[in-house]
Amino acid sequence: MKGFHDNCVDYKLVSEVVWADDHSSNEDFKIMRDCLYTYFDMSKVRILRRVDGSKGLGHSLNSILDNVNTQYTYHLEDDFLHNKQAFQIMPSIIIMKEFANIKQVLLNERPSFFKSVKTSNNINFKIWETGVIQDNGEPVKHFGFTLNPTITDLQFYRENYGYFNLTDVESSYSKSYTDGYRTACLDGIKLIHIGQNNSSFHLNGTNR
């Protein structure tokens, strides 16, 4: 939370901070709650906890679909660190407004991205495409939208795809690519992942 607060230069464009607890542990909940109240105005923080205590990322994502009504969301899990100051929100929205098939902008640059593009006012970004050969000779394996830190057109996702599949969360994003929608990536922004692989799935005993 401190990294986001200190490095996302245009974070004040965020109208509300909504945290969907995945119910992995009570200790994790207390740490996150204290962090949110340390770095953000309490009147702008909303915590979503499910009464039935159902665990897992899928439930958390679906609770966001039920409770967040803004067109765009900044999706950030608690194990990614910012390490560079940059405008993130407004450039991402400009990209999605200008390019109709881009519905998500990744805030974690990957070497597998290609096809450099510019907006009409010179915002540099790349588009992730399948079939591209990476530096290591392996083809890019793209499954559609990503659950990495992103600015996403949530209104579009809700209206076209609905709820996430609880038994296979990432498959809910896979259809977007074959439907012709793309994920872009802002140049020069790379967050650091400090969590273990599959951390939320591992902690909650659920499928990826």
Side-chain angles (χ1 to χ4, degrees):
M1 290 296 99
K2 183 179 188 303
F4 170 76
H5 181 275
D6 292 351
N7 290 287
C8 180
V9 177
D10 49 354
Y11 84 90
K12 290 189 177 179
L13 292 173
V14 174
S15 59
E16 183 181 33
V17 177
V18 179
W19 170 38
D21 182 26
D22 69 359
H23 291 259
S24 55
S25 75
N26 287 328
E27 200 161 307
D28 184 49
F29 171 80
K30 291 173 184 175
I31 292 170
M32 280 297 297
R33 180 192 59 195
D34 292 346
C35 283
L36 286 169
Y37 290 158
T38 298
Y39 295 107
F40 298 98
D41 180 347
M42 288 177 64
S43 67
K44 291 187 175 183
V45 173
R46 186 155 49 114
I47 297 174
L48 304 179
R49 296 200 91 191
R50 293 177 295 286
V51 176
D52 64 0
S54 51
K55 291 186 174 186
L57 180 60
H59 288 288
S60 297
L61 293 170
N62 285 338
S63 67
I64 290 172
L65 288 171
D66 281 334
N67 289 279
V68 176
N69 296 316
T70 53
Q71 179 173 356
Y72 301 103
T73 57
Y74 189 123
H75 173 79
L76 179 64
E77 295 189 22
D78 61 2
D79 55 358
F80 280 89
L81 293 180
H82 291 71
N83 63 348
K84 178 183 177 182
Q85 287 194 331
F87 287 92
Q88 299 178 24
I89 300 170
M90 187 52 70
S92 299
I93 293 174
I94 289 171
I95 289 168
M96 287 186 279
K97 283 183 176 293
E98 186 167 332
F99 295 82
N101 70 326
I102 294 176
K103 299 299 182 184
Q104 185 184 65
V105 178
L106 178 63
L107 303 170
N108 194 20
E109 190 174 20
R110 300 287 186 83
S112 58
F113 274 78
F114 91 124
K115 192 180 176 183
S116 295
V117 188
K118 280 187 179 183
T119 64
S120 57
N121 57 344
N122 292 320
I123 296 172
N124 295 308
F125 68 98
K126 295 181 178 69
I127 300 176
W128 201 354
E129 294 278 6
T130 191
V132 181
I133 303 301
Q134 302 179 75
D135 292 340
N136 63 5
E138 294 292 320
V140 173
K141 296 177 181 177
H142 193 287
F143 54 81
F145 293 162
T146 176
L147 291 169
N148 270 242
T150 55
I151 309 290
T152 298
D153 187 335
L154 189 71
Q155 181 178 311
F156 166 83
Y157 184 83
R158 182 191 293 111
E159 291 175 355
N160 289 273
Y161 296 102
Y163 288 114
F164 285 82
N165 181 336
L166 295 178
T167 59
D168 188 3
V169 178
E170 290 186 349
S171 73
S172 301
Y173 265 179
S174 63
K175 197 170 182 293
S176 62
Y177 192 89
T178 55
D179 285 348
Y181 300 106
R182 296 292 180 266
T183 295
C185 176
L186 282 177
D187 279 5
I189 297 177
K190 182 153 182 73
L191 278 63
I192 301 169
H193 185 216
I194 59 171
Q196 65 184 47
N197 258 351
N198 304 333
S199 54
S200 66
F201 302 98
H202 172 78
L203 286 169
N204 294 307
T206 56
N207 293 328
R208 192 175 182 89

